[in-house]
Amino acid sequence: MPCVTHQSPHLQNLGPIVPVIILPSSAFIKALKERSPEEVEKYSHGVQAMMLIDTGASCTVIDKEISATLNLKHHGVTNISTPSSTSYECLLYDIDLQIPNNKAHFENVQVVETELKNQGISGLIGRDVLQDTLLIYHGYTGQFTLAV
């Protein structure tokens, strides 16, 4: 089981944050290859981002800047509630999520778009992705491990 361990003296304050690569969904890329193979290359590198592993989030979330940079097309709307807000509408997208250090690749993940940039992160990895992982949070040493 590939895993990545991070150590941070600020783990309690910042939480478990991992570098990721966000790409358009595999389903989108497959359809694009059939329609316009020459267009696929511009999506091949994705966007590098820092995402917080959030066991309190039922779904994975990306910042609006990510969806704009990747020119993603939304496929629906949902209402979300957060600890600091009442219910509000957010757009839904599909992405692929890669965690480079342990070579994990999550395909066709439905994500919610909202504003997170002011929190210093580009997204939240929610329980929809975490259900396929092992997360060990060792507060005493300031380490966490994510295994896929």
Side-chain angles (χ1 to χ4, degrees):
M1 180 180 284
C3 67
V4 60
T5 298
H6 290 273
Q7 182 159 8
S8 170
H10 309 289
L11 183 60
Q12 180 185 355
N13 294 330
L14 300 177
I17 296 176
V18 292
V20 300
I21 298 171
I22 300 171
L23 300 138
S25 70
S26 294
F28 170 80
I29 295 298
K30 181 180 177 185
L32 187 61
K33 279 182 186 176
E34 293 172 6
R35 281 194 327 265
S36 306
E38 68 281 355
E39 294 286 316
V40 173
E41 177 60 30
K42 71 180 180 181
Y43 294 107
S44 64
H45 301 292
V47 174
Q48 294 184 10
M50 300 301 284
M51 293 182 77
L52 174 69
I53 297 172
D54 187 351
T55 61
S58 60
C59 62
T60 297
V61 180
I62 60 171
D63 186 77
K64 289 182 176 186
E65 190 174 284
I66 298 290
S67 55
T69 300
L70 290 173
N71 196 26
L72 299 176
K73 306 295 183 232
H74 74 278
H75 62 75
V77 177
T78 191
N79 288 313
I80 67 167
S81 296
T82 69
S84 61
S85 70
T86 58
S87 180
Y88 63 97
E89 284 190 349
C90 295
L91 298 177
L92 295 171
Y93 297 89
D94 291 330
I95 64 162
D96 278 12
L97 181 65
Q98 292 180 349
I99 302 175
N101 293 348
N102 69 358
K103 298 178 179 50
H105 187 125
F106 301 93
E107 294 185 345
N108 303 312
V109 177
Q110 180 173 274
V111 296
V112 172
E113 175 197 70
T114 192
E115 293 185 32
L116 294 167
K117 190 175 181 180
N118 63 340
Q119 297 181 43
I121 55 174
S122 298
L124 304 173
I125 299 175
R127 293 189 309 270
D128 57 336
V129 170
L130 294 175
Q131 71 180 347
D132 297 319
T133 70
L134 170 67
L135 173 64
I136 301 169
Y137 184 97
H138 196 270
Y140 182 73
T141 62
Q143 290 182 323
F144 68 93
T145 300
L146 185 64
V148 180

